[in-house]
Amino acid sequence: MLVVRPAGPSDLDFLLELAILSGPGFTSLPEDPDQLAERLDLSRDSFAGVLQPQERWYTLMLEESETGDVDGVGSVKAAVGLKRPFFSFRVVTNTQSSPSLGIKLEQKTLVLVNECTGWTEVGSLFLKADRRKGGAGRLLSQSRYMLIGAEPDLFADTVLAELRGVFTPDGACPFWDHVAHKFFPMEFDEADRMTGSTDKQFILDLAPRHPVYVELLPEPARAVIGKVHPQGVPAMALLESEGFRPNGLIDIFDAGPTVTCQRDNIRTVRDARQLTVAIADEVEAELPALISTNSVGAFRAVRQRAHMEGDIATLSRETAEALRVRAGDTVRVKA
């Protein structure tokens, strides 16, 4: 059975393997054991509740319960931009006209902004290639919203997700090569690493202080602004199905889009029901349901069959064991 569970320090080898497989541009999964170890310590302390709510970064692992293999990762960062800025480019459309010539033009510009302070971020969604079919990605993605829905007050009213921008098959990034690299004279991987491991002062020091006119950029750079990496297309579809929409912000290095949704309007947060657990040897239900615990500290999630009648969700013993719940406990269920 696939189970989504909290990540902790013992998952370092699993997380490092996933980081290596994720490839370039995945800022939240650096191929750096020290950074990943710090993140797993942060995850442990977040689920334990020993950090202030806005400092928490919850990391989730997708595990095959029979083998113990970890095949995917996802995360929820309670608040961004508080200790370190959260920089983006805003795509701004300016209208210019000359009545005497009868000419009206719309010019798009990229403006450096820091608008997302305090928002919750869902991210780090990555699965091994052989797990990208059969609903595993949806389980892992939706588990993040079940986590938020379990204790909504721990999270911000606005939730965002950044999607990786376009890279060519040989690993080149058109937006970086033609635009960002002009301001940050270093390798993409170095800039990416510094984004995750420093206070980002280097961005404030080196980023363009004036609007960048999109029409002046080379066509390969213009073509990828706000576009998603091919591997991120399924993730974008999942986000859109939950109600997320582009908000006009893009990543300053790879031009990938930012999408947002109000926390209480996220479909899984809104539609999941709190039900009381009953346990049976056999469960009759037409389709599996998304089921999670009702607390952040003991969070676990699965997609299994549940018979729902009134305020009762009857689960199989195997499902109850995977969630570590007993009869009479409360779970959240989304059919």
Side-chain angles (χ1 to χ4, degrees), residues 22-83:
S22 69
F26 218 112
T27 305
S28 62
L29 287 179
E31 297 179 27
D32 184 324
D34 292 336
Q35 285 191 53
L36 295 178
E38 290 180 9
R39 173 167 172 183
L40 290 171
D41 288 343
L42 182 57
S43 179
R44 173 199 60 205
D45 295 343
S46 297
F47 281 104
V50 300
L51 301 173
Q52 291 297 314
Q54 290 184 318
E55 297 177 359
R56 298 176 189 174
W57 188 359
Y58 307 91
T59 298
L60 298 167
M61 292 303 212
L62 179 71
E63 181 181 282
E64 171 52 62
S65 60
E66 293 183 5
T67 64
D69 292 338
V70 171
D71 295 329
V73 60
S75 76
V76 181
K77 188 177 291 187
V80 301
L82 297 180
K83 291 188 175 181

Side-chain angles (χ1 to χ4, degrees), residues 62-252:
L62 179 71
E63 181 181 282
E64 171 52 62
S65 60
E66 293 183 5
T67 64
D69 292 338
V70 171
D71 295 329
V73 60
S75 76
V76 181
K77 188 177 291 187
V80 301
L82 297 180
K83 291 188 175 181
R84 300 186 301 163
F86 191 90
F87 290 116
S88 309
F89 278 136
R90 174 162 288 286
V91 182
V92 178
T93 300
N94 302 294
T95 301
Q96 296 174 281
S97 63
S98 172
S100 63
L101 297 178
I103 294 174
K104 184 177 180 180
L105 299 174
E106 287 190 348
Q107 298 282 4
K108 289 185 177 180
T109 60
L110 306 179
V111 180
L112 186 71
V113 296
N114 178 24
E115 297 182 4
C116 304
T117 301
W119 297 2
T120 291
E121 180 183 16
V122 292
S124 304
L125 186 67
F126 182 77
L127 290 91
K128 292 180 180 177
D130 58 357
R131 275 295 185 195
R132 293 175 190 163
K133 295 181 180 179
R138 181 174 291 275
L139 166 63
L140 184 56
S141 176
Q142 289 184 300
S143 294
R144 301 174 302 177
Y145 313 127
M146 295 294 268
L147 178 75
I148 292 172
E151 298 185 54
D153 291 344
L154 294 177
F155 304 94
D157 292 337
T158 302
V159 181
L160 71 90
E162 285 191 306
L163 289 118
R164 181 164 39 162
V166 173
F167 286 73
T168 61
D170 62 359
C173 176
F175 189 81
W176 171 265
D177 292 340
H178 293 288
V179 184
H181 184 57
K182 310 300 182 184
F183 300 97
F184 302 96
M186 59 189 74
E187 296 297 320
F188 179 94
D189 289 346
E190 176 66 9
D192 196 44
R193 182 194 65 77
M194 291 177 64
T195 298
S197 63
T198 71
D199 61 5
K200 301 186 183 180
Q201 180 63 39
F202 81 102
I203 295 177
L204 197 59
D205 293 339
L206 299 175
R209 289 171 170 75
H210 303 286
V212 176
Y213 279 79
V214 172
E215 286 301 316
L216 300 180
L217 301 179
E219 194 281 332
R222 296 199 308 271
V224 299
I225 291 174
K227 298 297 190 298
V228 180
H229 190 289
Q231 289 185 1
V233 172
M236 182 65 158
L238 289 173
L239 286 160
E240 290 177 335
S241 72
E242 292 288 340
F244 285 81
R245 296 294 182 268
N247 69 344
L249 300 178
I250 64 169
D251 185 84
I252 65 171

Side-chain angles (χ1 to χ4, degrees), residues 240-271:
E240 290 177 335
S241 72
E242 292 288 340
F244 285 81
R245 296 294 182 268
N247 69 344
L249 300 178
I250 64 169
D251 185 84
I252 65 171
F253 292 155
D254 64 24
T258 297
V259 295
T260 58
C261 186
Q262 292 303 110
R263 179 195 65 205
D264 297 339
N265 289 337
I266 298 172
R267 185 163 285 112
T268 296
V269 173
R270 184 189 66 212
D271 294 350

